Amino acid sequence: MATAYHVVHYRSFVQPTGETRRLEELCRAILSQHDSNGIALWNRVVDRVQKLDSTGSRQLVLNKVADLSSAVFGEVCLVDTAGLQALLRLRRSTVELSDKTKAEVFDLDERKAPDGSQFLRGMAYWLSIGNHLFYVKTQSMMPDHIRGYFDWLLKSHPKGVPRGSELVLQAEFDKSQVPRDIGDIRTLRVKGNATRSYKVDTVDEEEKVSRAVRTARKVADRFVEFQQALPIVRALLGSARTESLVESLGPEEYLTVDASVKVRGRRTEESKANMRNLANDMADLTDATVQIEGRDGKLSDGDAILRTTMPFDLPHEGSNLLDFNNVADQLQEVYARYVKDGKLPI
């Protein structure tokens, strides 16, 4: 069976003022509510659709969703009802591309989704257990989509939270690295290239193919890291010296930058909040180690953000989807590990 490796992200749900129910309880209560016909939201998929624009052409759909007794688990689909999909048609033609060039090419085309279907642009699989939220995202699904959907789900349905409440999904730092709370965040550092966000592996894969995949991924990682480093190097050295440095690099060399953001002096409540938000944003980076220093401690041994990479079964080789039941099992396994390691409370 083919498998795909994805990063499992973690968030902690901060209960709004006056709210005593945990995220898992809120999800279960909202999905169990009945409409005027006595049908629960579990059985009304059209009422689980969030429109992302005024035309409704982009939507988030809570498709499969299940009560696992100990948790609530579901998949959110990012769909496009009006977009086009580019296709490479294997029909050859000879075209004039410049004054000097005529070339044989394949034709390009764009197609709308067939009637009764929509293009799937991204997926997120999530598990809510207590006030803990674990999720895996694929394709063009972004963390803002996931947060936005929960904000809509919890506020737009009865038995949820008041519309004026602030939804906070806080990135938790690895508490097992320090014996106490690190206090207000003062320094955030992004260092090096850490965990891969995605790779594909299949059973019975030949070693030479595996080696080629790993090599291609390594080259791609270096290219991304190089491109991200260039603006910072230009800011420090100027364009002329940067170009000179780039031209001097050998075939096995590439630029990388360790960057840090620090706040010194008397802190304001706004700056503290913004640093927490920035830490949350950094938690979504998958190609770097995030190190955090607070007033009362430092998280510097490895990645301070709670996240890990897990293998997930695919319905079939080459699929862009993950096996629903397997993802549920794997996310519960991550939760159990974190609890056992003392990184999360039960």
Side-chain angles (χ1 to χ4, degrees), residues 162-207:
R163 289 182 178 272
S165 302
E166 181 184 7
L167 179 70
V168 178
L169 295 174
Q170 175 69 45
E172 283 291 307
F173 311 132
D174 189 343
K175 296 178 181 178
S176 66
Q177 297 186 32
V178 289
R180 63 184 187 279
D181 195 309
I182 63 172
D184 293 332
I185 300 170
R186 292 182 177 273
T187 301
L188 302 173
R189 187 179 186 188
V190 182
K191 181 179 180 181
N193 59 331
T195 57
R196 298 174 181 175
S197 62
Y198 182 80
K199 74 174 183 179
V200 172
D201 197 5
T202 58
V203 177
D204 300 325
E205 185 179 41
E206 294 183 8
E207 178 60 25

Side-chain angles (χ1 to χ4, degrees), residues 21 27 92 122 139 145 182 188 213 221 285 287 307 330:
R21 292 170 296 175
C27 291
R92 295 175 294 174
Q139 297 165 280
H145 289 136
I182 63 172
L188 302 173
V213 171
D221 286 344
L285 296 173
D287 61 350
R307 58 187 175 189
Q330 292 294 72

Side-chain angles (χ1 to χ4, degrees), residues 53-105:
D53 54 35
S54 57
T55 64
S57 61
R58 287 174 60 82
Q59 301 173 348
L60 288 172
V61 181
L62 178 55
N63 192 36
K64 295 178 183 177
V65 60
D67 188 344
L68 306 181
S69 297
S70 61
V72 178
F73 173 66
E75 63 180 21
V76 175
C77 305
L78 174 62
V79 298
D80 191 342
T81 65
L84 299 174
Q85 179 67 51
L87 301 172
L88 182 68
R89 302 181 62 187
L90 301 182
R91 187 178 66 185
R92 295 175 294 174
S93 62
T94 300
V95 296
E96 186 172 342
L97 299 176
S98 73
D99 294 339
K100 298 181 178 180
T101 306
K102 282 188 177 181
E104 184 180 64
V105 300

Side-chain angles (χ1 to χ4, degrees), residues 174-176 334-344:
D174 189 343
K175 296 178 181 178
S176 66
V334 172
Y335 168 71
R337 287 185 194 175
Y338 282 173
V339 170
K340 183 178 180 180
D341 293 343
K343 296 179 178 180
L344 292 178

Side-chain angles (χ1 to χ4, degrees), residues 239-252:
S239 296
R241 290 185 179 179
T242 298
E243 297 307 316
S244 176
L245 176 61
V246 170
E247 290 176 1
S248 70
L249 295 177
E252 298 298 322

Side-chain angles (χ1 to χ4, degrees), residues 8 36 44 59 63 84 99 126 131 143 170 217 223 230 251 259 266-267 300 306-307 319 321:
V8 177
S36 57
R44 306 191 327 261
Q59 301 173 348
N63 192 36
L84 299 174
D99 294 339
W126 58 269
N131 273 330
Q170 175 69 45
R217 180 68 203 191
F223 176 76
L230 274 178
R266 187 176 296 276
R267 306 290 304 283
S300 60
L306 284 182
R307 58 187 175 189
S319 176
L321 306 177

